[in-house]
Amino acid sequence: MSKATVSASKSGSPAGASAADVNPGVDHSIELGHGNSPAAWTCVIVMLVGALIASIAFVIASTPIFIAGGIVMLVGLILGFAMRKAGYGVGGSKLKNSGH
């Protein structure tokens, strides 16, 4: 066994450097939003249901139900994309507010 000591790893940035110094091309003053829209919520909820189905199928070792869970997750992704294109995404034409 080696008797070498292990030290904590140091940050890759020099001491006293701010985030702007490390990533000069990133503008943190722009509000990105959090995806709070009917399209995002629908996508996430449907995909969570699909993940639940696939997880249960994995535990009970049922391949057809596992595949069905994966298909439900794909449907959720497609549904969220379609709703965003229909104007229900953040800043969409069908929403009164900006999604916040």
Side-chain angles (χ1 to χ4, degrees), residues 15-95:
S18 68
D21 296 334
V22 176
N23 296 319
V26 178
D27 183 11
H28 292 285
S29 64
I30 299 172
E31 178 72 30
L32 297 177
H34 298 285
N36 293 333
S37 68
W41 281 101
T42 303
C43 177
V44 168
I45 290 170
V46 172
M47 290 179 75
L48 281 173
V49 170
L52 177 66
I53 292 169
S55 299
I56 292 171
F58 184 80
V59 171
I60 63 173
S62 175
T63 302
I65 297 174
F66 181 80
I67 292 171
I71 291 171
V72 170
M73 287 190 281
L74 285 174
V75 167
L77 188 64
I78 293 167
L79 186 61
F81 180 75
M83 287 182 70
R84 186 183 78 182
K85 288 295 184 186
Y88 290 101
V90 173
S93 62
K94 304 284 170 108
L95 301 178

